[in-house]
């Protein structure tokens, strides 16, 4: 999985660098790589959490009339 993670991180970093050419030096690229890795890891954890169509949002919507 680490290889897949590394590939995804490098692809996303390449996208950022292609959109903003010349904006980042080597130190900034290293920080970007670390931040992207954190985001990719977090998104993988969220995708692993199963949801069903019956899962409700955190709020309760009540319909009624006020007089």
């Amino acid at each position: 999985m680490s290889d897949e993670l590394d590939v995804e991180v490098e692809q996303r970093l390449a996208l950022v660098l292609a959109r903003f050419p010349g904006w980042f030096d080597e130190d900034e690229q290293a920080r970007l790589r670390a931040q992207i890795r954190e985001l990719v890891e977090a998104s993988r954890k969220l995708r692993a959490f199963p949801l069903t169509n019956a899962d409700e949002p955190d709020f309760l919507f009540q319909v009624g009339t006020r007089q």
Side-chain angles (χ1 to χ4, degrees):
M1 180 164 117
S2 180
D3 290 337
E4 291 176 14
L5 179 67
D6 291 339
V7 168
E8 185 174 352
V9 168
E10 291 304 317
Q11 288 174 342
R12 292 180 183 274
L13 178 61
L15 178 65
V16 171
L17 297 177
R19 288 191 68 168
F20 304 99
W23 282 36
F24 305 104
D25 62 22
E26 292 298 320
D27 290 336
E28 292 169 327
Q29 287 181 26
R31 285 194 298 272
L32 277 173
R33 183 176 285 110
Q35 290 174 346
I36 291 170
R37 177 176 291 278
E38 289 175 11
L39 291 171
V40 169
E41 288 172 344
S43 69
R44 287 181 176 207
K45 287 178 186 177
L46 287 172
R47 281 193 303 260
F49 187 77
L51 294 177
T52 66
N53 198 26
D55 291 330
E56 295 183 11
D58 286 340
F59 63 90
L60 178 62
F61 181 73
Q62 295 179 340
V63 177
T65 58
R66 196 178 267 202
Q67 294 180 347

